[in-house]
Amino acid sequence: MYTQALDSSGAEPGSPASAGEVERERRFQERIDRDEKIEPKDWMPQAYRQTLIRQIAQHAHSEIVGMLPEGNWITRAPTLRRKAVLIAKVQDEGGHGMYLYSAAETLGVSRGELIEQLLAGRAKYSSIFNYPTLTWADIGAIGWLVDGAAIMNQIPLCRCSYGPYARAMVRICKEESFHQRQGYEIMLTLARGTGAQREMAQDALNRWWWPSLMMFGPGDAESVHTAHSMRWKIKRFSNDELRQRFIDLTVPQAQFLDLAIPDPVLRWDEAAQHFITGPIDWSEFQTVLKGHGPCNRERLGARRAAHEAGRWVREAAAAYADKHRDRVGGAERHVQTV
Amino acid sequence: MSAAAGSATPASDEDHFRYVLRLADTSLVLGQRLSEWVGHAPALEEDLALGNIALDLIGEARLLLAHAGRIEGRGREEDQLAFLRDAPEFYNVALAEQPNGDFGATIVRQALLDAWQLELYHSLTASTDERLAEIAAKTLKECRYHWRFSCGWLVRLGDGTAESHARAQEALDALWRFTEELITPDALDVRMASCGIAPPLAVVRGRWETRIGAALGEATLLQPSSEHYPWHGKSGVHTEHLGHLLGEMQHLQRTYPGVTW
Amino acid sequence: MNEDWVLYEVFIRARSGLEHKHVGSLHAADARMALEHARDTYTRRQEGVSIWVVRSSEIIASDPEEADALFEPARDKVYRHPTFYSIPDDVKNI
């Protein structure tokens, strides 16, 4: 699952230093325009590199922090089948974080540095994960809405100009295809269940609808980086385009569940062939983004605690490898099994 | 098919049901414990590894619970057995329910149980209960990988830094007292062995001790020699931890009885 | 104290008969752990029957700046390809 265009801070394409640089940038842009992929050791403008590192890192952090709200229900999943599905899904998110950190590492920054930035509060992640999962229905709503919005964002990234990022996204999109479906299945079961279950489902939709729309990031008028990212083919559609597409697909799904979208002015515009929503409360988005959401402290706190508690383990493994360099290198060529 | 099969005395359904539940509950409770780690492990790669093992264990539990339900013949399915029994009706070994503690305690608990499950399921592939033998054949492959994982980590922690050695030894000292239950037969184990459904635990004991002894040696850890309290998790007498684990696990099914999820 | 694990590249054989293919990377303290992590990360959906892991630092890569010198000279050797030769359509099995 993923996040909006979060790249709201960082390097701008600066003025090139020399005629040589200008020429290299021109050739680089030509490659992009020809839809050629850029690979790790290829020359690239510093600003392209920085933009990618920032975006991929934010994306990776979102996957990792995103494990927490859903992980909150693993031990309480109501059936063994649901428990297995949820473990597999949360585990997938960890894997996706790994793929993305790996893609970022090809740009010359280590996973350790990136995690350091996250834990120090200097890096962003998708603000959706700062909302709490209060009932089991939230697990359904996250799969349906949050993963739904994520897929909308992620599919165009499979064609991103940077090869390792695009390849990671292809793998991620393929693996995530079950995430949204399992979420909707939970919602469907609840919506067709008892009165208490229906209430639980409606309550979850009420709480997750607007934050899901905010996942696509600020409106196009406010989004500062869109132009560069579009020109570099890191981004292919604007925030508002993707958001509208999500709304148009999702509203009928809510109608099928017979649940109400929490937006009194929502209407179908026949001429535009779109659903038109009421205004988004961006002040809330900014509040959460700045660290004052319901769970910002808890999420970062949990990541820090795991990192700190795991330090002695990582050190032990590294020390063991140092001590037994020959053994672990050599004997492992034919690993013994029972 | 084991040699005992020829002279097998038939097992009562009640015995058979309870024995399969022992196996199922041990996997379920251990899987539930491991799943607590997902999102909080020492490295991202370990989140995935622990998640995989948890998934294997829960998958094993589902197969075994379904089998137990059929033996019982009262129409109870996996979720009714998992979510609607109270602690005294759970028959897992007490070691499985012990809290995760730090990563070292989790690894020690895991290695002790992985080695045991590996030897037990190896023997169960020859069970006179054909369905159980099938499940054992599938489970055995998973056990091999689990042991590979936990034994690898046991050695890294034991022979890593001074801190990791101390932590691993401390966990071993704390958990060793639960191991006798794994390898000491009670009346039900004996009856199951006599009808060929289960192996004689003496066989499992010998192999388990050899396996664990070698791993502890490589990990430079000392095998504790404490006296054992006779735990009876497999007869439904548990430590205080199981009730809390079940309270959390069964919360939704208990709060909203009889609904579909 | 050092807690950073080494970066490994992972190659998976999807099924026997196919070559190993690069699928991604991971961190591990030692080779055995790298194999286990590769298994847990990259074969969760039956993607493979065999795994290679190699330390990233052991890979020697060509320099993209030299791509012209390395790969352009092959461009005009079209006679290496079967389509270079014209054979009448009537001739079969060639």
Side-chain angles (χ1 to χ4, degrees), chain A residues 103-280:
Chain A
E105 281 183 294
T106 64
L107 291 159
V109 56
S110 76
R111 192 203 293 184
E113 290 168 63
L114 295 175
I115 287 180
E116 208 55 52
Q117 289 170 8
L118 172 70
L119 300 184
R122 294 198 308 272
K124 292 206 177 84
Y125 57 87
S126 184
S127 47
I128 193 85
F129 304 119
N130 290 318
Y131 290 89
T133 48
L134 302 176
T135 72
W136 172 250
D138 290 19
I139 301 306
I142 287 180
W144 171 36
L145 300 173
V146 177
D147 285 280
I151 290 168
M152 207 62 78
N153 262 316
Q154 289 179 155
I155 286 181
L157 286 171
C158 296
R159 296 190 293 130
C160 158
S161 61
Y162 187 58
Y165 192 23
R167 290 192 288 276
M169 291 317 306
V170 168
R171 182 176 278 271
I172 290 171
C173 286
K174 212 157 91 184
E175 295 188 352
E176 287 204 346
S177 52
F178 91 81
H179 291 187
Q180 193 189 14
R181 291 173 67 94
Q182 66 85 34
Y184 194 75
E185 192 192 74
I186 291 175
M187 293 304 276
L188 197 59
T189 309
L190 295 176
R192 291 176 175 173
T194 62
Q197 285 178 304
R198 284 193 58 77
E199 254 173 57
M200 205 186 267
Q202 181 64 56
D203 166 64
L205 174 56
N206 293 349
R207 284 181 289 110
W208 291 95
W209 172 252
W210 290 106
S212 298
L213 298 191
M214 294 177 201
M215 281 178 71
F216 294 92
D220 294 348
E222 318 291 323
S223 184
V224 279
H225 287 270
T226 297
H228 297 304
S229 289
M230 292 271 215
R231 185 159 59 86
W232 282 330
K233 296 189 182 170
I234 294 172
K235 192 170 171 175
R236 300 223 174 215
F237 300 97
S238 76
N239 297 353
D240 284 337
E241 280 176 288
L242 290 170
R243 183 172 13 246
Q244 187 62 53
R245 203 178 294 177
F246 173 75
I247 293 166
D248 291 341
L249 290 183
T250 309
V251 171
Q253 292 166 357
Q255 289 167 342
F256 185 84
L257 295 172
D258 206 11
L259 295 178
I261 300 269
D263 179 351
V265 301
L266 178 80
R267 64 183 172 84
W268 172 253
D269 184 325
E270 188 59 38
Q273 290 290 299
H274 286 307
F275 285 100
I276 308 299
T277 63
I280 292 173

Side-chain angles (χ1 to χ4, degrees), chain A residues 75 91 111 303 314 324 335, chain B residues 39 42 45 52 148 159 248:
Chain A
T75 57
Q91 193 199 30
R111 192 203 293 184
R303 288 314 311 158
R314 297 189 298 275
H324 300 283
V335 170
Chain B
E45 284 83 352
N52 270 345
R148 184 192 149 102
D159 192 17
E248 187 173 341

Side-chain angles (χ1 to χ4, degrees), chain A residues 302-315:
Chain A
R303 288 314 311 158
R304 283 193 196 115
H307 190 74
E308 289 307 317
R311 190 184 308 280
W312 70 270
V313 177
R314 297 189 298 275
E315 287 173 352

Side-chain angles (χ1 to χ4, degrees), chain B residues 62-94:
Chain B
R62 293 180 67 186
L63 293 175
L64 290 162
L65 286 173
H67 185 46
R70 278 191 296 270
I71 294 165
E72 187 195 32
R74 282 171 47 201
R76 285 203 283 181
E77 293 177 356
E78 60 178 51
D79 286 330
Q80 285 160 291
L81 287 169
F83 293 94
L84 300 177
R85 281 180 299 147
D86 201 359
E89 302 163 88
F90 263 75
Y91 303 121
N92 57 283
V93 293

Side-chain angles (χ1 to χ4, degrees), chain A residues 64 74-76 78-80 82-84 91 111 189 197 200 303 312 314 316 320 323-324 335 338, chain B residues 32 35 39 42 44-45 48 52 55 79 148 155 159-160 163-164 167 211 248-249 253 256 260-261:
Chain A
I64 301 313
I74 285 178
T75 57
R76 291 177 293 168
T79 69
L80 294 183
R82 294 279 183 219
K83 188 188 292 291
Q91 193 199 30
R111 192 203 293 184
T189 309
Q197 285 178 304
M200 205 186 267
R303 288 314 311 158
W312 70 270
R314 297 189 298 275
Y320 177 81
K323 247 189 263 186
H324 300 283
V335 170
V338 184
Chain B
Q32 172 78 1
S35 76
L44 207 35
E45 284 83 352
L48 270 75
N52 270 345
L55 282 173
D79 286 330
R148 184 192 149 102
V155 171
D159 192 17
E163 182 183 6
S164 71
R167 283 178 184 257
R211 188 178 286 281
E248 187 173 341
M249 186 176 91
Q253 291 263 2
Y256 303 91
T260 304
W261 296 96

